[in-house]
Amino acid sequence: SFLKNKAKTMEDIWENAQYMIKDEVDINEEDKNLINDLAKRIIEEFVKEYEKIQVLSKNSLEPVVKSLINKHKTNFKGVGQPIRIALTGSKFGPGIYDLILSLEKTEVIKRLKKIVK
């Protein structure tokens, strides 16, 4: 059901699911430009905290995201958007928590680390 987020057609749902189907994430140039140094720091810090989480759930992810928002004096979009781009290749798509929980932990880490190289 989370793939229906903002989807109006079956094609939209198909597009929302592509990140789960493809092994490699393709990021368009416009979205690549959103991954600046701050976004990379946020992703790196998220990975460090994410790796420590034993039981993954929205409840275990929320404090990590809130901590990054406070630390970097940004908003939810400032943390969620770079993570979404790294995981899906787009700034649009399913909710960030659904996105993270829909992938294997090792896949999330692999994709996030790849973008901060």
Side-chain angles (χ1 to χ4, degrees), residues 18-34:
Q18 289 303 299
Y19 77 94
M20 291 187 295
I21 297 166
K22 295 180 179 178
D23 289 331
E24 291 295 319
V25 174
D26 298 319
I27 303 172
N28 68 45
E29 286 304 313
E30 182 182 333
D31 290 343
K32 274 184 189 174
N33 291 331
L34 297 173

Side-chain angles (χ1 to χ4, degrees), residues 19 22-25 43 46-47 50-51 86-87 103-117:
Y19 77 94
K22 295 180 179 178
D23 289 331
E24 291 295 319
V25 174
I43 290 170
F46 177 83
V47 169
Y50 178 74
E51 288 177 316
L87 295 177
L103 294 168
E104 293 285 332
K105 187 172 186 176
T106 55
E107 184 66 18
V108 170
I109 293 167
K110 178 185 96 176
R111 290 183 188 192
L112 293 177
K113 285 184 174 181
K114 183 177 181 181
I115 202 142
V116 295
K117 284 184 184 178

Side-chain angles (χ1 to χ4, degrees), residues 72-96:
H72 294 284
K73 299 189 183 352
T74 188
N75 55 24
F76 188 82
K77 180 180 176 183
V79 173
Q81 189 173 65
I83 293 171
R84 180 180 286 108
I85 292 169
L87 295 177
T88 69
S90 174
K91 62 186 170 193
F92 303 110
I96 194 69

Side-chain angles (χ1 to χ4, degrees), residues 50-66:
Y50 178 74
E51 288 177 316
K52 296 176 190 175
I53 298 173
Q54 298 296 317
V55 178
L56 289 172
S57 69
K58 182 178 178 185
N59 289 337
S60 63
L61 292 169
E62 280 181 328
V64 174
V65 171
K66 286 180 184 176

